[in-house]
């Protein structure tokens, strides 16, 4: 009887979980894709000279950055990704996301001057999409 009651309660509450957040995904990247994304922003010498930082950026892109699908609201409080400056110090010809034809699989969050190593959660709306980029805080031991 207790099992039946628990199962019924679980079935009742499960739909509410999906109403609030929608789907959450992370990017699945190979080591080569990570290196290429870091090199595009910081240069090939950075990748060769700082492999531990490339690894940290890889964990950032595959573990700490999530993408939630949430419909845009009229009074939305999230900043738009287009309002964030690009990281163009090493590569002045760097390009941001194509917001008209946005594809999550090719999106490189490294090109934006975001606080990747902050101790707070950040949420940014990707312009003209249903995606919210969530940067989870770095955990320190």
């Amino acid at each position: 009887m207790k099992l039946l009651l628990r199962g019924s309660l679980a079935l009742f509450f499960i739909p509410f979980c999906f109403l609030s957040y929608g789907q959450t995904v992370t990017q699945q990247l190979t080591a080569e894709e990570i290196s290429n994304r870091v090199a595009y922003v910081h240069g090939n010498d950075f990748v060769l000279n700082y492999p531990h930082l490339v690894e940290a950026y890889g964990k950032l892109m595959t573990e700490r950055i999530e993408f939630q699908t949430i419909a845009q609201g009229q009074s939305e409080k999230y900043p738009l990704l287009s309002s964030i400056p690009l990281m163009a110090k090493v590569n002045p010809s760097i390009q941001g996301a194509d917001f008209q034809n946005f594809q999550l699989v090719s999106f490189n969050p490294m090109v934006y001057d975001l606080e990747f190593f902050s101790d707070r959660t950040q949420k940014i709306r990707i312009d003209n999409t249903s995606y919210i980029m969530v940067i989870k805080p770095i955990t320190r031991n």
Side-chain angles (χ1 to χ4, degrees):
M1 185 67 175
K2 286 184 182 180
L3 185 59
L4 181 60
L5 181 59
R6 286 183 186 165
S8 297
L9 286 174
L11 288 175
F12 177 76
F13 285 109
I14 286 175
F16 294 106
C17 296
F18 296 108
L19 289 175
S20 60
Y21 289 106
Q23 182 183 5
T24 299
V25 296
T26 57
Q27 291 183 317
Q28 304 301 309
L29 302 170
T30 65
E32 182 179 2
E33 289 170 321
I34 291 167
S35 293
N36 288 341
R37 289 176 184 210
V38 173
Y40 179 66
V41 175
H42 296 288
N44 288 323
D45 288 342
F46 182 91
V47 172
L48 295 173
N49 294 327
Y50 303 104
H52 59 287
L53 289 176
V54 174
E55 183 180 339
Y57 282 127
K59 286 184 179 181
L60 164 75
M61 288 187 276
T62 59
E63 296 174 15
R64 290 188 35 243
I65 294 179
E66 294 179 343
F67 298 90
Q68 296 176 350
T69 53
I70 302 173
Q72 261 182 300
Q74 290 287 338
S75 60
E76 190 165 272
K77 60 185 177 217
Y78 306 117
L80 292 174
L81 185 59
S82 62
S83 69
I84 310 293
L86 298 175
M87 292 284 293
K89 290 180 183 178
V90 174
N91 180 0
S93 63
I94 205 164
Q95 297 286 315
D98 178 0
F99 298 122
Q100 298 304 319
N101 301 302
F102 182 79
Q103 298 291 319
L104 185 59
V105 295
S106 60
F107 175 63
N108 184 358
M110 299 291 302
V111 303
Y112 293 92
D113 190 10
L114 295 161
E115 293 181 53
F116 291 123
F117 298 100
S118 171
D119 59 354
R120 63 181 178 88
T121 299
Q122 301 167 72
K123 294 185 177 187
I124 298 118
R125 166 69 69 187
I126 298 176
D127 303 50
N128 302 323
T129 73
S130 60
Y131 287 113
I132 299 288
M133 180 172 53
V134 179
I135 305 171
K136 294 189 279 186
I138 191 165
T139 55
R140 300 183 201 309
N141 294 334

